Amino acid sequence: MQHEAHAHHDHTHHQDHGDHGNHAAHTGHEGHAGHEGHTGHEGHGGHHHTPGKVSWAMAAKATLHCLTGCAIGEVLGMIIGTALGWGNAPTMALAIALAFLFGYSLTLFAVKRAGLTLKAAIGVALAADTISITVMEVVDNGMLLLIPGAMDAHLTDGLFWGALAVAFLVAFLLTTPVNKWMIGRGKGHAVVHQYHH
């Protein structure tokens, strides 16, 4: 009975190997062992980029980041080309150039805020976005060429915006697996994650 009275001190008596087996149940230690589940660190899981450990959500977020820049650039390029009365080829060329410019710019500003020099930030942006934007632009513009009448539609036509929306959606769906594969190998947007806070 005297031993039971001191049961609450069991964790100090390590010589009692029978009770020591229960030591793992000590909430203080178990909580520490589960530290990787701490939400404050979960968002930085991309730091390690172990192949096969990249979530689809992470890949989708990286693709959405590229898509935002591409969409801004393309729409602006098409508005400028249409306003100047350009043909399809020069308008598409301008739209693609601006898509790359805005796509890179979003990453550039993000890593610049992390304290990188302009030269280093440009290097990160080029490494992070080049393949992703290229795949997106090839798919996106390929879809616009395949959709009947899309290239000849004006900004005031529903076909123009409808075709653009479909093209961006298909580009997003096809680029996301590419980004997932690249991030899993420490490439593409993986190089940006280390600068996130």
Side-chain angles (χ1 to χ4, degrees), residues 85-103:
W86 291 0
N88 288 338
T91 299
M92 181 178 280
L94 177 63
I96 292 172
L98 289 178
F100 272 92
L101 178 64
F102 279 91

Side-chain angles (χ1 to χ4, degrees), residues 86-194:
W86 291 0
N88 288 338
T91 299
M92 181 178 280
L94 177 63
I96 292 172
L98 289 178
F100 272 92
L101 178 64
F102 279 91
Y104 286 137
S105 295
L106 292 182
T107 298
L108 187 68
F109 293 140
V111 295
K112 272 286 288 175
R113 285 199 301 270
L116 269 70
T117 62
L118 180 60
K119 183 178 179 180
I122 290 173
V124 169
L126 291 173
D129 293 327
T130 299
I131 294 178
S132 180
I133 295 176
T134 300
V135 173
M136 188 165 288
E137 286 303 295
V138 168
V139 175
D140 171 33
N141 287 284
M143 286 298 299
L144 289 176
L145 290 171
L146 289 173
I147 297 174
M151 292 304 300
D152 296 318
H154 295 287
L155 296 174
T156 54
D157 294 341
L159 175 62
F160 171 84
W161 296 104
L164 197 60
V166 170
F168 281 141
L169 176 60
V170 174
F172 175 81
L173 294 175
L174 293 182
T175 308
T176 298
V178 174
N179 277 328
K180 186 176 187 295
W181 182 84
M182 288 172 57
I183 294 171
R185 283 149 186 79
K187 302 180 184 300
H189 257 254
V191 301
V192 178
H193 291 171
Q194 60 186 302

Side-chain angles (χ1 to χ4, degrees), residues 76-86 91 155:
L76 185 59
M78 290 177 184
I79 289 174
I80 293 172
T82 301
L84 295 177
W86 291 0
T91 299
L155 296 174

